[in-house]
PDB file of all heavy atoms in Angstrom:
ATOM      1  N   ASP J   3      87.707  67.070 110.648  1.00  0.00           N
ATOM      2  CA  ASP J   3      86.635  68.040 110.430  1.00  0.00           C
ATOM      3  C   ASP J   3      87.154  69.339 109.842  1.00  0.00           C
ATOM      4  O   ASP J   3      86.490  69.993 109.047  1.00  0.00           O
ATOM      5  CB  ASP J   3      85.961  68.377 111.775  1.00  0.00           C
ATOM      6  CG  ASP J   3      85.040  67.257 112.216  1.00  0.00           C
ATOM      7  OD1 ASP J   3      84.870  66.306 111.422  1.00  0.00           O
ATOM      8  OD2 ASP J   3      84.522  67.336 113.336  1.00  0.00           O
ATOM      9  N   TYR J   4      88.353  69.680 110.285  1.00  0.00           N
ATOM     10  CA  TYR J   4      88.981  70.925 109.879  1.00  0.00           C
ATOM     11  C   TYR J   4      89.077  71.027 108.360  1.00  0.00           C
ATOM     12  O   TYR J   4      88.691  72.019 107.759  1.00  0.00           O
ATOM     13  CB  TYR J   4      90.384  70.929 110.490  1.00  0.00           C
ATOM     14  CG  TYR J   4      90.788  72.261 111.020  1.00  0.00           C
ATOM     15  CD1 TYR J   4      90.017  72.901 111.987  1.00  0.00           C
ATOM     16  CD2 TYR J   4      91.935  72.883 110.558  1.00  0.00           C
ATOM     17  CE1 TYR J   4      90.384  74.127 112.476  1.00  0.00           C
ATOM     18  CE2 TYR J   4      92.317  74.106 111.045  1.00  0.00           C
ATOM     19  CZ  TYR J   4      91.541  74.724 112.003  1.00  0.00           C
ATOM     20  OH  TYR J   4      91.919  75.935 112.478  1.00  0.00           O
ATOM     21  N   TYR J   5      89.574  69.965 107.747  1.00  0.00           N
ATOM     22  CA  TYR J   5      89.728  69.945 106.295  1.00  0.00           C
ATOM     23  C   TYR J   5      88.371  69.892 105.608  1.00  0.00           C
ATOM     24  O   TYR J   5      88.175  70.487 104.561  1.00  0.00           O
ATOM     25  CB  TYR J   5      90.633  68.788 105.866  1.00  0.00           C
ATOM     26  CG  TYR J   5      92.082  69.168 106.011  1.00  0.00           C
ATOM     27  CD1 TYR J   5      92.738  68.995 107.222  1.00  0.00           C
ATOM     28  CD2 TYR J   5      92.767  69.755 104.943  1.00  0.00           C
ATOM     29  CE1 TYR J   5      94.052  69.388 107.372  1.00  0.00           C
ATOM     30  CE2 TYR J   5      94.075  70.156 105.091  1.00  0.00           C
ATOM     31  CZ  TYR J   5      94.730  69.966 106.302  1.00  0.00           C
ATOM     32  OH  TYR J   5      96.011  70.374 106.444  1.00  0.00           O
ATOM     33  N   PHE J   6      87.435  69.190 106.244  1.00  0.00           N
ATOM     34  CA  PHE J   6      86.095  69.053 105.706  1.00  0.00           C
ATOM     35  C   PHE J   6      85.445  70.449 105.620  1.00  0.00           C
ATOM     36  O   PHE J   6      84.904  70.829 104.590  1.00  0.00           O
ATOM     37  CB  PHE J   6      85.288  68.130 106.611  1.00  0.00           C
ATOM     38  CG  PHE J   6      84.023  67.656 105.987  1.00  0.00           C
ATOM     39  CD1 PHE J   6      84.051  66.801 104.892  1.00  0.00           C
ATOM     40  CD2 PHE J   6      82.797  68.089 106.477  1.00  0.00           C
ATOM     41  CE1 PHE J   6      82.877  66.373 104.298  1.00  0.00           C
ATOM     42  CE2 PHE J   6      81.618  67.672 105.882  1.00  0.00           C
ATOM     43  CZ  PHE J   6      81.663  66.811 104.804  1.00  0.00           C
ATOM     44  N   ILE J   7      85.571  71.211 106.715  1.00  0.00           N
ATOM     45  CA  ILE J   7      84.999  72.568 106.743  1.00  0.00           C
ATOM     46  C   ILE J   7      85.692  73.443 105.705  1.00  0.00           C
ATOM     47  O   ILE J   7      85.061  74.193 104.971  1.00  0.00           O
ATOM     48  CB  ILE J   7      85.132  73.192 108.159  1.00  0.00           C
ATOM     49  CG1 ILE J   7      84.274  72.423 109.161  1.00  0.00           C
ATOM     50  CG2 ILE J   7      84.708  74.671 108.146  1.00  0.00           C
ATOM     51  CD1 ILE J   7      84.564  72.752 110.615  1.00  0.00           C
ATOM     52  N   SER J   8      87.021  73.312 105.621  1.00  0.00           N
ATOM     53  CA  SER J   8      87.770  74.179 104.712  1.00  0.00           C
ATOM     54  C   SER J   8      87.392  73.911 103.251  1.00  0.00           C
ATOM     55  O   SER J   8      87.286  74.828 102.450  1.00  0.00           O
ATOM     56  CB  SER J   8      89.274  74.064 104.958  1.00  0.00           C
ATOM     57  OG  SER J   8      89.821  72.990 104.252  1.00  0.00           O
ATOM     58  N   TYR J   9      87.119  72.639 102.914  1.00  0.00           N
ATOM     59  CA  TYR J   9      86.654  72.346 101.550  1.00  0.00           C
ATOM     60  C   TYR J   9      85.246  72.877 101.342  1.00  0.00           C
ATOM     61  O   TYR J   9      84.904  73.349 100.269  1.00  0.00           O
ATOM     62  CB  TYR J   9      86.690  70.837 101.268  1.00  0.00           C
ATOM     63  CG  TYR J   9      88.027  70.409 100.722  1.00  0.00           C
ATOM     64  CD1 TYR J   9      88.871  69.586 101.466  1.00  0.00           C
ATOM     65  CD2 TYR J   9      88.451  70.848  99.472  1.00  0.00           C
ATOM     66  CE1 TYR J   9      90.111  69.213 100.976  1.00  0.00           C
ATOM     67  CE2 TYR J   9      89.685  70.485  98.971  1.00  0.00           C
ATOM     68  CZ  TYR J   9      90.514  69.661  99.727  1.00  0.00           C
ATOM     69  OH  TYR J   9      91.731  69.311  99.229  1.00  0.00           O
ATOM     70  N   GLY J  10      84.440  72.813 102.403  1.00  0.00           N
ATOM     71  CA  GLY J  10      83.072  73.332 102.351  1.00  0.00           C
ATOM     72  C   GLY J  10      83.069  74.803 101.955  1.00  0.00           C
ATOM     73  O   GLY J  10      82.254  75.235 101.146  1.00  0.00           O
ATOM     74  N   LEU J  11      84.019  75.560 102.508  1.00  0.00           N
ATOM     75  CA  LEU J  11      84.113  77.000 102.212  1.00  0.00           C
ATOM     76  C   LEU J  11      84.349  77.223 100.724  1.00  0.00           C
ATOM     77  O   LEU J  11      83.727  78.088 100.101  1.00  0.00           O
ATOM     78  CB  LEU J  11      85.265  77.642 103.003  1.00  0.00           C
ATOM     79  CG  LEU J  11      85.107  77.724 104.518  1.00  0.00           C
ATOM     80  CD1 LEU J  11      86.360  78.319 105.141  1.00  0.00           C
ATOM     81  CD2 LEU J  11      83.884  78.558 104.891  1.00  0.00           C
ATOM     82  N   VAL J  12      85.241  76.409 100.159  1.00  0.00           N
ATOM     83  CA  VAL J  12      85.564  76.560  98.739  1.00  0.00           C
ATOM     84  C   VAL J  12      84.351  76.219  97.872  1.00  0.00           C
ATOM     85  O   VAL J  12      84.068  76.904  96.886  1.00  0.00           O
ATOM     86  CB  VAL J  12      86.772  75.674  98.365  1.00  0.00           C
ATOM     87  CG1 VAL J  12      87.045  75.726  96.867  1.00  0.00           C
ATOM     88  CG2 VAL J  12      88.000  76.134  99.129  1.00  0.00           C
ATOM     89  N   ILE J  13      83.629  75.179  98.277  1.00  0.00           N
ATOM     90  CA  ILE J  13      82.448  74.768  97.497  1.00  0.00           C
ATOM     91  C   ILE J  13      81.371  75.848  97.560  1.00  0.00           C
ATOM     92  O   ILE J  13      80.766  76.191  96.543  1.00  0.00           O
ATOM     93  CB  ILE J  13      81.924  73.393  97.985  1.00  0.00           C
ATOM     94  CG1 ILE J  13      82.951  72.312  97.626  1.00  0.00           C
ATOM     95  CG2 ILE J  13      80.568  73.068  97.365  1.00  0.00           C
ATOM     96  CD1 ILE J  13      82.768  70.991  98.326  1.00  0.00           C
ATOM     97  N   ILE J  14      81.170  76.441  98.752  1.00  0.00           N
ATOM     98  CA  ILE J  14      80.178  77.525  98.883  1.00  0.00           C
ATOM     99  C   ILE J  14      80.577  78.689  97.968  1.00  0.00           C
ATOM    100  O   ILE J  14      79.757  79.225  97.220  1.00  0.00           O
ATOM    101  CB  ILE J  14      80.070  78.007 100.356  1.00  0.00           C
ATOM    102  CG1 ILE J  14      79.459  76.913 101.225  1.00  0.00           C
ATOM    103  CG2 ILE J  14      79.227  79.287 100.460  1.00  0.00           C
ATOM    104  CD1 ILE J  14      79.591  77.156 102.727  1.00  0.00           C
ATOM    105  N   GLY J  15      81.860  79.040  97.989  1.00  0.00           N
ATOM    106  CA  GLY J  15      82.365  80.127  97.147  1.00  0.00           C
ATOM    107  C   GLY J  15      82.145  79.839  95.674  1.00  0.00           C
ATOM    108  O   GLY J  15      81.719  80.708  94.915  1.00  0.00           O
ATOM    109  N   PHE J  16      82.401  78.594  95.289  1.00  0.00           N
ATOM    110  CA  PHE J  16      82.236  78.180  93.898  1.00  0.00           C
ATOM    111  C   PHE J  16      80.763  78.316  93.477  1.00  0.00           C
ATOM    112  O   PHE J  16      80.460  78.822  92.397  1.00  0.00           O
ATOM    113  CB  PHE J  16      82.723  76.727  93.726  1.00  0.00           C
ATOM    114  CG  PHE J  16      82.405  76.145  92.386  1.00  0.00           C
ATOM    115  CD1 PHE J  16      83.141  76.515  91.259  1.00  0.00           C
ATOM    116  CD2 PHE J  16      81.372  75.231  92.239  1.00  0.00           C
ATOM    117  CE1 PHE J  16      82.837  75.982  90.007  1.00  0.00           C
ATOM    118  CE2 PHE J  16      81.070  74.691  90.998  1.00  0.00           C
ATOM    119  CZ  PHE J  16      81.806  75.064  89.880  1.00  0.00           C
ATOM    120  N   LEU J  17      79.858  77.898  94.365  1.00  0.00           N
ATOM    121  CA  LEU J  17      78.426  77.947  94.042  1.00  0.00           C
ATOM    122  C   LEU J  17      77.933  79.390  93.929  1.00  0.00           C
ATOM    123  O   LEU J  17      77.136  79.713  93.042  1.00  0.00           O
ATOM    124  CB  LEU J  17      77.607  77.184  95.101  1.00  0.00           C
ATOM    125  CG  LEU J  17      77.804  75.663  95.093  1.00  0.00           C
ATOM    126  CD1 LEU J  17      77.024  75.008  96.225  1.00  0.00           C
ATOM    127  CD2 LEU J  17      77.388  75.056  93.748  1.00  0.00           C
ATOM    128  N   ILE J  18      78.439  80.274  94.811  1.00  0.00           N
ATOM    129  CA  ILE J  18      78.054  81.693  94.753  1.00  0.00           C
ATOM    130  C   ILE J  18      78.498  82.292  93.415  1.00  0.00           C
ATOM    131  O   ILE J  18      77.736  82.969  92.728  1.00  0.00           O
ATOM    132  CB  ILE J  18      78.695  82.483  95.932  1.00  0.00           C
ATOM    133  CG1 ILE J  18      78.083  82.056  97.263  1.00  0.00           C
ATOM    134  CG2 ILE J  18      78.539  83.993  95.735  1.00  0.00           C
ATOM    135  CD1 ILE J  18      78.795  82.637  98.488  1.00  0.00           C
ATOM    136  N   THR J  19      79.749  81.979  93.038  1.00  0.00           N
ATOM    137  CA  THR J  19      80.291  82.502  91.774  1.00  0.00           C
ATOM    138  C   THR J  19      79.497  81.966  90.591  1.00  0.00           C
ATOM    139  O   THR J  19      79.152  82.710  89.666  1.00  0.00           O
ATOM    140  CB  THR J  19      81.774  82.090  91.631  1.00  0.00           C
ATOM    141  OG1 THR J  19      82.442  82.413  92.847  1.00  0.00           O
ATOM    142  CG2 THR J  19      82.465  82.821  90.499  1.00  0.00           C
ATOM    143  N   LEU J  20      79.190  80.680  90.640  1.00  0.00           N
ATOM    144  CA  LEU J  20      78.448  80.035  89.554  1.00  0.00           C
ATOM    145  C   LEU J  20      77.067  80.671  89.400  1.00  0.00           C
ATOM    146  O   LEU J  20      76.644  80.989  88.269  1.00  0.00           O
ATOM    147  CB  LEU J  20      78.326  78.531  89.844  1.00  0.00           C
ATOM    148  CG  LEU J  20      77.747  77.682  88.729  1.00  0.00           C
ATOM    149  CD1 LEU J  20      78.728  77.588  87.562  1.00  0.00           C
ATOM    150  CD2 LEU J  20      77.413  76.273  89.235  1.00  0.00           C
ATOM    151  N   ALA J  21      76.376  80.894  90.525  1.00  0.00           N
ATOM    152  CA  ALA J  21      75.033  81.485  90.482  1.00  0.00           C
ATOM    153  C   ALA J  21      75.097  82.884  89.851  1.00  0.00           C
ATOM    154  O   ALA J  21      74.257  83.230  89.009  1.00  0.00           O
ATOM    155  CB  ALA J  21      74.446  81.560  91.892  1.00  0.00           C
ATOM    156  N   ALA J  22      76.114  83.664  90.239  1.00  0.00           N
ATOM    157  CA  ALA J  22      76.242  85.029  89.701  1.00  0.00           C
ATOM    158  C   ALA J  22      76.539  84.998  88.201  1.00  0.00           C
ATOM    159  O   ALA J  22      76.018  85.814  87.438  1.00  0.00           O
ATOM    160  CB  ALA J  22      77.331  85.788  90.452  1.00  0.00           C
ATOM    161  N   GLU J  23      77.368  84.026  87.777  1.00  0.00           N
ATOM    162  CA  GLU J  23      77.718  83.905  86.351  1.00  0.00           C
ATOM    163  C   GLU J  23      76.498  83.509  85.524  1.00  0.00           C
ATOM    164  O   GLU J  23      76.268  84.061  84.450  1.00  0.00           O
ATOM    165  CB  GLU J  23      78.829  82.861  86.157  1.00  0.00           C
ATOM    166  CG  GLU J  23      80.205  83.288  86.665  1.00  0.00           C
ATOM    167  CD  GLU J  23      80.764  84.516  85.948  1.00  0.00           C
ATOM    168  OE1 GLU J  23      80.481  84.674  84.741  1.00  0.00           O
ATOM    169  OE2 GLU J  23      81.453  85.315  86.605  1.00  0.00           O
ATOM    170  N   ILE J  24      75.737  82.540  86.039  1.00  0.00           N
ATOM    171  CA  ILE J  24      74.532  82.093  85.316  1.00  0.00           C
ATOM    172  C   ILE J  24      73.545  83.259  85.214  1.00  0.00           C
ATOM    173  O   ILE J  24      72.952  83.510  84.174  1.00  0.00           O
ATOM    174  CB  ILE J  24      73.886  80.867  86.024  1.00  0.00           C
ATOM    175  CG1 ILE J  24      74.800  79.645  85.868  1.00  0.00           C
ATOM    176  CG2 ILE J  24      72.492  80.578  85.463  1.00  0.00           C
ATOM    177  CD1 ILE J  24      74.377  78.429  86.685  1.00  0.00           C
ATOM    178  N   ASN J  25      73.414  84.008  86.317  1.00  0.00           N
ATOM    179  CA  ASN J  25      72.492  85.143  86.352  1.00  0.00           C
ATOM    180  C   ASN J  25      72.874  86.219  85.329  1.00  0.00           C
ATOM    181  O   ASN J  25      72.032  86.691  84.576  1.00  0.00           O
ATOM    182  CB  ASN J  25      72.460  85.718  87.773  1.00  0.00           C
ATOM    183  CG  ASN J  25      71.513  86.894  87.880  1.00  0.00           C
ATOM    184  OD1 ASN J  25      70.373  86.842  87.417  1.00  0.00           O
ATOM    185  ND2 ASN J  25      71.990  87.982  88.459  1.00  0.00           N
ATOM    186  N   VAL J  26      74.168  86.564  85.269  1.00  0.00           N
ATOM    187  CA  VAL J  26      74.567  87.637  84.336  1.00  0.00           C
ATOM    188  C   VAL J  26      74.417  87.170  82.889  1.00  0.00           C
ATOM    189  O   VAL J  26      73.968  87.927  82.025  1.00  0.00           O
ATOM    190  CB  VAL J  26      76.001  88.174  84.629  1.00  0.00           C
ATOM    191  CG1 VAL J  26      77.094  87.229  84.191  1.00  0.00           C
ATOM    192  CG2 VAL J  26      76.216  89.525  83.938  1.00  0.00           C
ATOM    193  N   LYS J  27      74.728  85.911  82.625  1.00  0.00           N
ATOM    194  CA  LYS J  27      74.609  85.393  81.250  1.00  0.00           C
ATOM    195  C   LYS J  27      73.155  85.381  80.804  1.00  0.00           C
ATOM    196  O   LYS J  27      72.845  85.780  79.682  1.00  0.00           O
ATOM    197  CB  LYS J  27      75.214  83.988  81.156  1.00  0.00           C
ATOM    198  CG  LYS J  27      76.739  84.047  81.158  1.00  0.00           C
ATOM    199  CD  LYS J  27      77.354  82.828  80.485  1.00  0.00           C
ATOM    200  CE  LYS J  27      78.829  83.036  80.228  1.00  0.00           C
ATOM    201  NZ  LYS J  27      79.661  82.713  81.390  1.00  0.00           N
ATOM    202  N   SER J  28      72.247  84.932  81.695  1.00  0.00           N
ATOM    203  CA  SER J  28      70.848  84.835  81.282  1.00  0.00           C
ATOM    204  C   SER J  28      70.221  86.229  81.177  1.00  0.00           C
ATOM    205  O   SER J  28      69.432  86.490  80.273  1.00  0.00           O
ATOM    206  CB  SER J  28      70.050  83.913  82.208  1.00  0.00           C
ATOM    207  OG  SER J  28      69.864  84.540  83.449  1.00  0.00           O
ATOM    208  N   THR J  29      70.606  87.140  82.084  1.00  0.00           N
ATOM    209  CA  THR J  29      70.067  88.507  82.013  1.00  0.00           C
ATOM    210  C   THR J  29      70.550  89.189  80.733  1.00  0.00           C
ATOM    211  O   THR J  29      69.782  89.837  80.020  1.00  0.00           O
ATOM    212  CB  THR J  29      70.505  89.337  83.242  1.00  0.00           C
ATOM    213  OG1 THR J  29      70.201  88.592  84.419  1.00  0.00           O
ATOM    214  CG2 THR J  29      69.790  90.667  83.301  1.00  0.00           C
ATOM    215  N   PHE J  30      71.843  89.001  80.427  1.00  0.00           N
ATOM    216  CA  PHE J  30      72.406  89.606  79.217  1.00  0.00           C
ATOM    217  C   PHE J  30      71.711  89.048  77.972  1.00  0.00           C
ATOM    218  O   PHE J  30      71.359  89.790  77.059  1.00  0.00           O
ATOM    219  CB  PHE J  30      73.917  89.354  79.154  1.00  0.00           C
ATOM    220  CG  PHE J  30      74.561  89.934  77.931  1.00  0.00           C
ATOM    221  CD1 PHE J  30      74.741  91.302  77.796  1.00  0.00           C
ATOM    222  CD2 PHE J  30      74.967  89.111  76.882  1.00  0.00           C
ATOM    223  CE1 PHE J  30      75.316  91.853  76.660  1.00  0.00           C
ATOM    224  CE2 PHE J  30      75.542  89.642  75.745  1.00  0.00           C
ATOM    225  CZ  PHE J  30      75.717  91.011  75.629  1.00  0.00           C
ATOM    226  N   LYS J  31      71.516  87.723  77.980  1.00  0.00           N
ATOM    227  CA  LYS J  31      70.884  87.071  76.829  1.00  0.00           C
ATOM    228  C   LYS J  31      69.465  87.609  76.613  1.00  0.00           C
ATOM    229  O   LYS J  31      69.076  87.920  75.486  1.00  0.00           O
ATOM    230  CB  LYS J  31      70.846  85.553  77.077  1.00  0.00           C
ATOM    231  CG  LYS J  31      70.718  84.738  75.824  1.00  0.00           C
ATOM    232  CD  LYS J  31      70.834  83.256  76.126  1.00  0.00           C
ATOM    233  CE  LYS J  31      70.276  82.441  74.979  1.00  0.00           C
ATOM    234  NZ  LYS J  31      70.167  81.018  75.332  1.00  0.00           N
ATOM    235  N   ARG J  32      68.740  87.749  77.737  1.00  0.00           N
ATOM    236  CA  ARG J  32      67.351  88.214  77.636  1.00  0.00           C
ATOM    237  C   ARG J  32      67.306  89.617  77.023  1.00  0.00           C
ATOM    238  O   ARG J  32      66.546  89.887  76.100  1.00  0.00           O
ATOM    239  CB  ARG J  32      66.712  88.217  79.031  1.00  0.00           C
ATOM    240  CG  ARG J  32      65.230  88.563  78.992  1.00  0.00           C
ATOM    241  CD  ARG J  32      64.599  88.625  80.378  1.00  0.00           C
ATOM    242  NE  ARG J  32      65.090  87.572  81.267  1.00  0.00           N
ATOM    243  CZ  ARG J  32      65.213  87.711  82.587  1.00  0.00           C
ATOM    244  NH1 ARG J  32      64.875  88.843  83.166  1.00  0.00           N
ATOM    245  NH2 ARG J  32      65.667  86.724  83.323  1.00  0.00           N
ATOM    246  N   TYR J  33      68.154  90.533  77.528  1.00  0.00           N
ATOM    247  CA  TYR J  33      68.081  91.918  77.061  1.00  0.00           C
ATOM    248  C   TYR J  33      68.920  92.178  75.808  1.00  0.00           C
ATOM    249  O   TYR J  33      68.928  93.283  75.289  1.00  0.00           O
ATOM    250  CB  TYR J  33      68.400  92.876  78.212  1.00  0.00           C
ATOM    251  CG  TYR J  33      67.332  92.787  79.274  1.00  0.00           C
ATOM    252  CD1 TYR J  33      67.589  92.214  80.514  1.00  0.00           C
ATOM    253  CD2 TYR J  33      66.044  93.224  78.996  1.00  0.00           C
ATOM    254  CE1 TYR J  33      66.590  92.085  81.461  1.00  0.00           C
ATOM    255  CE2 TYR J  33      65.030  93.097  79.937  1.00  0.00           C
ATOM    256  CZ  TYR J  33      65.317  92.528  81.170  1.00  0.00           C
ATOM    257  OH  TYR J  33      64.319  92.395  82.098  1.00  0.00           O
ATOM    258  N   SER J  34      69.583  91.128  75.323  1.00  0.00           N
ATOM    259  CA  SER J  34      70.268  91.231  74.038  1.00  0.00           C
ATOM    260  C   SER J  34      69.256  91.090  72.905  1.00  0.00           C
ATOM    261  O   SER J  34      69.543  91.410  71.754  1.00  0.00           O
ATOM    262  CB  SER J  34      71.310  90.125  73.895  1.00  0.00           C
ATOM    263  OG  SER J  34      72.409  90.431  74.700  1.00  0.00           O
ATOM    264  N   LYS J  35      68.073  90.590  73.278  1.00  0.00           N
ATOM    265  CA  LYS J  35      67.024  90.388  72.272  1.00  0.00           C
ATOM    266  C   LYS J  35      66.090  91.590  72.199  1.00  0.00           C
ATOM    267  O   LYS J  35      65.226  91.659  71.347  1.00  0.00           O
ATOM    268  CB  LYS J  35      66.220  89.128  72.613  1.00  0.00           C
ATOM    269  CG  LYS J  35      67.020  87.846  72.420  1.00  0.00           C
ATOM    270  CD  LYS J  35      66.206  86.639  72.841  1.00  0.00           C
ATOM    271  CE  LYS J  35      67.072  85.394  72.934  1.00  0.00           C
ATOM    272  NZ  LYS J  35      66.586  84.474  73.963  1.00  0.00           N
TER     273      LYS J  35
END
Side-chain angles (χ1 to χ4, degrees):
D3 284 355
Y4 220 57
Y5 278 86
F6 194 67
I7 294 167
S8 85
Y9 271 113
L11 292 177
V12 175
I13 292 165
I14 292 167
F16 171 76
L17 291 177
I18 292 172
T19 311
L20 188 70
E23 289 298 327
I24 291 172
N25 180 47
V26 75
K27 285 205 168 84
S28 72
T29 309
F30 179 73
K31 202 174 162 189
R32 185 182 320 148
Y33 294 110
S34 285
K35 290 177 192 149

